[in-house]
Amino acid sequence: MELDHPLESCTLLYVENDKEARRFFIPFLAPRVKTLWVAHNAKAALDLYERHRPDIVLTDLKMPKMDGVELAKIIRREARETPIVLMAAFSEQHHLFAAIEARIDAFVPKPVKVNELLRTLEDIAKKIVYDRVQSQVQAKMAQHYLAIEEEALLIYIDKDGRIKQVNESMALRLNYPLDILIGEPFESLVFKDDHFNRYYPLFEAIRNGDSWHGELHLVTQLDHELIFKATLVPIYEINSTSFQLMLLLEDITELVNYRKILKNELDETQNTLQEKIHFLEQYQNAINEGTAICRFLEDGTILKTDSRFDEIFGYEKRELVRRSFYQLCPNIEKKLRLKIKETVQKRTVLRSRIRCQDKENIIHVADSVFIPIYKVNGKIEEIISIHNDITDIIKLNEEIKNTQKELLYILGEVAESRSQETGYHVKRVAEYSRILGRLAGLSDEEVDLLGIVAPMHDVGKIAIPDAILLKPGKLDAEERAIMQTHASIGGELFGHSERPFMKAARIVALEHHENYDGSGYPMGKKGREIHIFGRIVAIADVFDALSMDRVYKKGWPIEEIVAFLKEERGRKFDPHLIDLFLKHLELFLAVRDKQKDIF
């Protein structure tokens, strides 16, 4: 299967101008991919890309005439989604900003480690193959829906209760031209009689985007009453709360009429048939909801599973039957039982993301739907659960986040390496920021994010000339103005991305020199106008700068540092944060003493 060996089903364009590197990597890559194309420069790579459209591009950064970043930008204009992997030496880290702008998918440092390169390519190939399989599944589903469209009686309704579409079979059944009903209130088709209020739950389901099952009486253009078995299914757009509703109908007018005539003789038979129809509709609805299916009783006893469910959890079918479904979710067993019990009582559908454990005790994450199935008398028969295993997607997202974290940390170290600070400076500032953020009441997620982006506070110094950045003496007014531009430059380097890491890094770089009284730069913000990340990093940065020895100065005694912080409380620094910092000073001194610089 493609998912077992994803890289073998992908094509690769390898761009490398170094002859020795090509001689080493071509024999390594060729047997591991479906097709390998090799280019010795960017121009040849573009020609091959246009002819073959490879699944993945692996390129060296440093090449004559056109480097790997410029090549990536051109490919991005042609095909925005093609994954691009960039190989570069640590000394070439200054190209990272351009790489981020070109939306490089992964970065492999030189000298290249074979295992690291293979792992990076396999991770990207896994996502490509997963998307490919998803597309195939969606295409098959579309074919099924086309078949339903031709054979079934369908009415599509918008969230305002107006008819969006009626298929040809249904329009003929109602004796209406195909387009005359479009835009009309669906309620106008419902037969008006003394029991019209029985449809109030249907109209409420339409407004709320919920499912509904029941008998529905509609009126034709000739004022004839038709009786249908109806199932209302909400169809939500991907990543959106917008929806439309599909009403699937089965004309049971003749069946109802015969039932009235033969009620006495066929009462028992009719009840059995109605029960089967009722179950069939609910089963069909459940099957359309997901991929892996498990049927179990209200107490959790498993009745039946499909092959996909068995495959995910690694059990033989005989091992699962009569086992409790809740045992597969040991960490949330009690909570899940309560949710399903409430769902059964309210006669609703439960949608939840759950964590389950397979036979090898490996955790799987699934988006799941639990649908209670009732008998005609209203008693619960069983529960159908449908599960979409998203474990691989969750892992891929975590790997992408970790890559972004590593890139940000490398950038922070690159920025500090150009100044007279040390690598320990950014590590200490990050740790100080985490501690102060936690004391200030930030959430665990916000504390982690702050610790990741705090090293970015001086990244704009990359653009400051060495003559100013490394000047041993005091800066004059013009030099000081140039130095102060590093905050604005740092903010601009991260653009206006809405991705959490980039957005937070921009805030820290841009606002860590803003003063609480409004006298800071570059925007003159004051008080709570300054983001709390900027206010925290400002204290962490100054404390570390004053505390530590440098080749050009001695660190201040702690008494003088405390006096300075108190003096600047409410002027340069947030008074509340300073109070927290001084109250817990021993926590920050412990970090300082543990991570001292070495000269």
Side-chain angles (χ1 to χ4, degrees), residues 103-311:
R103 293 189 294 111
I104 296 295
D105 293 85
F107 172 82
V108 179
K110 282 189 165 185
V112 175
K113 295 180 181 179
V114 171
N115 289 341
E116 184 175 348
L117 175 61
L118 182 60
R119 184 170 60 253
T120 300
L121 294 175
E122 285 180 339
D123 288 345
I124 291 173
K126 188 183 296 181
K127 185 176 186 307
I128 291 172
V129 171
Y130 180 83
D131 290 343
R132 192 181 292 161
V133 171
Q134 285 288 88
S135 297
Q136 292 170 355
V137 171
Q138 290 171 0
K140 289 181 180 178
M141 289 178 64
Q143 293 176 20
H144 290 308
Y145 279 115
L146 283 175
I148 292 173
E149 179 75 20
E150 286 186 10
E151 298 296 331
L153 303 175
L154 295 173
I155 299 176
Y156 293 91
I157 306 166
D158 66 21
K159 62 182 181 181
D160 297 319
R162 294 187 175 276
I163 297 171
K164 289 188 66 176
Q165 183 182 346
V166 179
N167 74 339
E168 186 174 358
S169 299
M170 190 64 196
L172 289 172
R173 193 65 55 95
L174 296 175
N175 292 308
Y176 278 101
L178 197 57
D179 59 348
I180 198 171
L181 291 172
I182 307 303
E184 294 296 319
F186 168 73
E187 187 175 334
S188 65
L189 281 181
V190 180
F191 186 77
K192 308 294 191 299
D193 60 15
D194 295 337
H195 305 288
F196 187 76
N197 59 357
R198 63 184 166 181
Y199 298 123
Y200 288 170
L202 168 61
F203 299 141
E204 184 178 359
I206 291 173
R207 286 192 298 272
N208 297 333
D210 293 331
S211 300
W212 178 86
H213 304 283
E215 189 174 287
L216 181 62
H217 294 229
L218 300 181
V219 62
T220 71
Q221 191 176 29
L222 302 176
D223 288 330
H224 294 157
E225 179 186 4
L226 294 179
I227 305 170
F228 298 89
K229 200 71 176 177
T231 302
L232 184 71
V233 180
I235 303 173
Y236 284 84
E237 296 178 9
I238 297 175
N239 299 325
S240 172
T241 58
S242 298
F243 65 89
Q244 65 174 342
L245 300 116
M246 180 178 72
L247 189 64
L248 179 63
L249 302 117
E250 177 188 2
D251 189 344
I252 59 170
T253 306
E254 291 187 6
L255 178 62
V256 172
N257 290 336
Y258 278 122
R259 185 174 60 191
K260 290 176 181 178
I261 297 171
L262 304 173
K263 186 177 185 304
N264 293 332
E265 293 83 358
L266 301 177
D267 187 66
E268 184 178 350
T269 304
Q270 176 58 36
N271 286 338
T272 302
L273 178 60
Q274 185 181 1
E275 186 116 272
K276 288 181 178 179
I277 294 173
H278 184 77
F279 284 159
L280 181 60
E281 289 168 351
Q282 295 184 77
Y283 289 152
Q284 187 63 47
N285 185 49
I287 290 168
N288 289 336
E289 292 270 358
T291 53
I293 300 176
C294 176
R295 294 167 48 200
F296 58 92
L297 298 177
E298 189 176 8
D299 66 0
T301 302
I302 295 175
L303 299 174
K304 190 173 182 180
T305 59
D306 70 351
S307 58
R308 174 64 178 150
F309 191 92
D310 302 340
E311 178 184 349

Side-chain angles (χ1 to χ4, degrees), residues 277-534:
I277 294 173
H278 184 77
F279 284 159
L280 181 60
E281 289 168 351
Q282 295 184 77
Y283 289 152
Q284 187 63 47
N285 185 49
I287 290 168
N288 289 336
E289 292 270 358
T291 53
I293 300 176
C294 176
R295 294 167 48 200
F296 58 92
L297 298 177
E298 189 176 8
D299 66 0
T301 302
I302 295 175
L303 299 174
K304 190 173 182 180
T305 59
D306 70 351
S307 58
R308 174 64 178 150
F309 191 92
D310 302 340
E311 178 184 349
I312 290 174
F313 289 97
Y315 286 98
E316 296 290 336
K317 198 171 292 294
R318 57 182 172 78
E319 296 177 298
L320 283 171
V321 174
R322 296 302 168 185
R323 185 188 182 100
S324 173
F325 172 83
Y326 299 113
Q327 292 176 354
L328 301 177
C329 311
N331 295 329
I332 59 169
E333 179 178 351
K334 186 176 180 180
K335 184 177 180 181
L336 186 59
R337 280 182 183 271
L338 290 174
K339 282 186 176 181
I340 291 178
K341 182 178 180 180
E342 183 180 354
T343 299
V344 171
Q345 291 173 345
K346 292 184 177 180
R347 303 180 73 86
T348 58
V349 173
L350 172 63
R351 293 176 174 84
S352 179
R353 179 165 291 181
I354 64 173
R355 296 171 65 86
C356 295
Q357 189 170 291
D358 67 14
K359 190 176 182 179
E360 303 298 326
N361 296 324
I362 297 172
I363 298 297
H364 293 260
V365 182
D367 281 338
S368 303
V369 180
F370 297 88
I371 305 171
I373 302 299
Y374 303 92
K375 298 178 181 179
V376 173
N377 61 13
K379 292 184 178 181
I380 183 70
E381 172 75 10
E382 64 184 74
I383 297 164
I384 294 183
S385 62
I386 305 99
H387 310 274
N388 183 19
D389 188 355
I390 59 170
T391 307
D392 287 343
I393 297 174
I394 296 293
K395 288 180 180 178
L396 284 174
N397 286 337
E398 286 300 317
E399 289 172 8
I400 290 170
K401 288 181 181 179
N402 290 336
T403 300
Q404 290 177 335
K405 292 179 186 178
E406 291 173 6
L407 286 173
L408 289 175
Y409 185 76
I410 291 170
L411 284 172
E413 288 199 320
V414 170
E416 297 301 336
S417 69
R418 289 201 62 243
S419 68
Q420 298 181 28
E421 305 292 352
T422 70
Y424 282 113
H425 171 67
V426 295
K427 294 178 181 177
R428 288 191 299 268
V429 168
E431 190 57 28
Y432 297 152
S433 298
R434 286 191 186 97
I435 295 171
L436 189 50
R438 194 172 291 112
L439 293 173
L442 297 183
S443 67
D444 291 343
E445 184 178 350
E446 289 171 323
V447 169
D448 290 341
L449 180 60
L450 177 57
I452 292 166
V453 301
M456 296 295 98
H457 63 281
D458 278 338
V459 72
K461 288 182 178 179
I462 287 177
I464 303 300
D466 286 348
I468 297 175
L469 187 64
L470 304 178
K471 183 177 179 179
K474 188 175 181 181
L475 301 179
D476 60 31
E478 183 179 351
E479 291 170 333
R480 189 161 51 254
I482 293 173
M483 176 65 84
Q484 289 180 353
T485 63
H486 81 273
S488 298
I489 292 169
E492 288 301 315
L493 284 173
F494 293 104
H496 296 278
S497 171
E498 289 301 315
R499 293 183 179 182
F501 291 139
M502 298 301 178
K503 188 176 181 180
R506 182 177 189 274
I507 289 170
V508 167
L510 191 61
E511 299 188 16
H512 74 288
H513 281 297
E514 299 287 356
N515 292 340
Y516 198 78
D517 64 0
S519 63
Y521 63 88
M523 294 175 289
K525 289 186 175 183
K526 64 180 180 179
R528 296 302 178 92
E529 294 174 358
I530 308 167
H531 195 284
I532 192 167
F533 283 10

